[in-house]
Each structure stands twice: as structure tokens, then as C-alpha cells.
Amino acid sequence: MTKIKDELEELAGLLRLKPRIAVLTGAGISAESGIPTFRGKDGLWKEFRAEELATPEAFFRDPRLVWEWYDWRRGIIGSKNPHPGHYVLANWEKIFPDFILITQNVDGLHRKAGSGNILELHGNIWEMRCTREGTILENRQTPLPEIPPRCSACGALLRPNVVWFGEALPAETLEQATAASSSCDLMFVIGTSAYVQPAASLPLLAAQNGAKIIEINPEPTPLSASADFAFQAAAGEALPEIDRAIGRFGLG
Ligand code: OAD
């Protein structure tokens, strides 16, 4: 407990300097909102096979099956709300002059909490993309009235605007995330197993460029041993705790 208190004070001291901050989030930050993660004991990839549901080959083989799975996930996500951890990050965007949020999550909860400066590395489950024209449209209907949905302009299949295994990340988004990671002073890594590339490399890039790494995750990850601060805690508890520490010490 004393160790955590000392660490919190040290971190609050760093935050007081108004550093350039990059935050990388993963499925774990949404866990306390009631959205299942991918790995771990109740993870989606324990119950479902990624190669049958989250690859372009799977989609073109059986678009109905893939859309049924996304429709089910949209149903779960649509009824969920951000928790205090999401709100702390949305507030930090307002109080720190150089702050960027990089997320692997497709659930849109950061935006729902009020964050605006977000790089969505893996896309967004509330968007659909025409497989012929590449046009992207927002669609928040759940359940979907027609599965698989089709483009109203050209009749081609629509797909979820998310990144599947074997696909490249949106180039400009990845470029911005890489630039932000290389130039930040502090990087928070929250709720990710640090397993999926290229997202998992961003904290390493930040560390190589001299940033301090702060991990928040109840379980150890490949990153934990080299992190400057590793808070083994849930995001919904640790983030408000860090925020309170900033409050106690002020932002100068
Ligand atoms: P994972 O499911 O791999 O990891 C979730 C992490 O969150 C684990 O390390 C958990 O220990 C941690 N965690 C659980 N509850 C938490 C809590 N309350 N607070 C903080 N951390 C908690 O999710 P990601 O690392 O995001 O990609 O997975 C990366 C990508 O793999 C996803 O974007 C998705 C998936 O396949 C695609 O779909 C392309």
C-alpha cells in the first residue's frame, strides 16, 4: 500500500510537469463496463474461433455468420456505458495540452465518455464499409434489420469497418499513433494483453525514445517487467486514483 502511495506521488509529480501524454488502451478498459475482452478466462477467443469470424476469408466465405456475430456484439456493446476510468481519460484531454488516446477498441466507449482526440487502430464497430466502393457509413441499429447488410447505393455487401486478422491497419492512423508514441514523455498502457501487433510495439517505441511507461492491468503482461510504473489494478479504480493524486498535488 505504501509502495503504491509512493508510486502515485512520483507519478503525480511527473504529471505536474504537463508532459506530452499518449495513452494506449485495449479491451480491458471496457471490461468494467461489461464488454468481454478477447483473451483471459472469459475472453471471446476462448469461446469463438477468430479465423471463422475475424478474417477477410471468413467474411467472404460466410458473410451471414460473421455479421450475426458482429450483430450480437453490437447488441452487447450498445447497451453499455463508460465507467469512471473512461471519464478520467476524457478529462485529461482537456487539462493536458498534449494528449492523445490510441485505442485498439472498436466499441466507441471513449467517444461516448467525451474523448475527442482518438486514434482507433482497429476501426469502429458502429461503422460499415462498402466492399465495392469503400464508402464508410455510421450505423447504430441493433439488431440489424437485414443480415448481411447491403450498400444502399450499389447493392454490394457491407462489412464491419474493423480491422481483421491478416489485414493492415489504416495507414494514416497507424502513422499518427507511431508519431505520437515516438514523441511522448509518458505513455499509459491500459487494459491490453500487449500481444497483438503492431499496437503492442507502440509502448516499446515510446520507451526507446525515452518515454516513461505506466501500465494499468490487473494481470502481468510481457510489458510489465520493463514498465516504469506497473499498477496491478482495474482501470476503473486506478485511473480515478491517479486523477485524485493529480488533484492533491495540483497541476502547477
Ligand atoms: P485482450 O483481451 O488480449 O487483453 C485484455 C487485457 O485487459 C488483459 O491483459 C487483461 O488482464 C486486462 N484487463 C482485464 N480487466 C481489466 C480491467 N478492469 N482494467 C484493466 N485491464 C484489464 O485485449 P487487447 O489487448 O485489446 O483485435 O486485444 C488486442 C486485439 O486483439 C483486439 O483489438 C482485437 C483482439 O483480437 C482485433 O479484433 C483486430
Side-chain angles (χ1 to χ4, degrees):
M1 193 63 201
T2 321
K3 184 168 174 279
I4 291 179
K5 196 160 165 266
D6 290 349
E7 287 206 313
L8 272 177
E9 286 187 18
E10 190 187 340
L11 180 56
L14 292 174
L15 289 163
R16 193 182 154 79
L17 303 172
K18 300 237 180 91
R20 291 165 297 178
I21 300 177
V23 178
L24 173 67
T25 63
I29 197 169
S30 295
E32 287 154 276
S33 291
I35 300 175
T37 61
F38 293 94
R39 297 170 187 85
K41 94 175 149 39
D42 299 320
L44 290 174
W45 297 147
K46 282 271 172 339
E47 198 181 336
F48 301 99
R49 289 167 60 86
E51 56 272 34
E52 283 169 13
L53 297 165
T55 66
E57 294 78 18
F59 180 72
F60 288 107
R61 192 167 55 233
D62 195 343
R64 168 175 291 274
L65 176 74
V66 171
W67 263 116
E68 277 168 354
W69 191 63
Y70 276 89
D71 193 41
W72 170 74
R73 284 180 60 201
R74 284 161 57 106
I76 296 176
I77 293 169
S79 64
K80 306 299 188 222
N81 288 307
H83 60 68
H86 290 104
Y87 288 111
V88 165
L89 294 178
N91 187 46
W92 284 2
E93 180 180 305
K94 297 194 188 86
I95 63 176
F96 292 104
D98 196 331
F99 182 94
I100 190 149
L101 180 52
I102 305 165
T103 189
Q104 298 167 84
N105 299 346
V106 298
D107 56 34
L109 280 195
H110 285 303
R111 211 170 288 282
K112 205 168 177 182
S115 287
N117 199 10
I118 310 175
L119 297 173
E120 290 178 321
L121 291 179
H122 293 165
N124 188 310
I125 204 165
W126 300 112
E127 290 176 355
M128 298 179 177
R129 189 165 87 229
C130 176
T131 52
R132 185 179 298 151
E133 299 162 325
T135 37
I136 294 169
L137 60 119
E138 187 181 282
N139 177 308
R140 305 191 80 90
Q141 264 182 309
T142 159
L144 288 167
E146 182 200 5
I147 289 184
R150 292 193 168 269
C151 175
S152 59
C154 74
L157 275 176
L158 290 168
R159 58 165 283 176
N161 191 32
V162 299
V163 176
W164 283 323
F165 289 100
E167 293 187 311
L169 272 61
E172 200 182 324
T173 309
L174 181 59
E175 221 169 89
Q176 290 171 342
T178 304
S181 305
S182 317
S183 63
C184 63
D185 302 306
L186 295 186
M187 180 178 248
F188 286 82
V189 185
I190 307 168
T192 177
S193 56
Y195 176 78
V196 171
Q197 295 294 353
S201 293
L202 296 174
L204 307 178
L205 189 61
Q208 275 162 15
N209 284 281
K212 293 217 181 296
I213 307 298
I214 303 110
E215 182 178 62
I216 300 174
N217 195 318
E219 303 291 334
T221 75
L223 198 69
S224 308
S226 60
D228 297 276
F229 299 84
F231 295 103
Q232 280 210 359
E237 289 165 18
L239 282 166
E241 193 64 43
I242 296 168
D243 196 48
R244 279 191 290 275
I246 299 176
R248 281 198 299 277
F249 292 93
L251 265 185

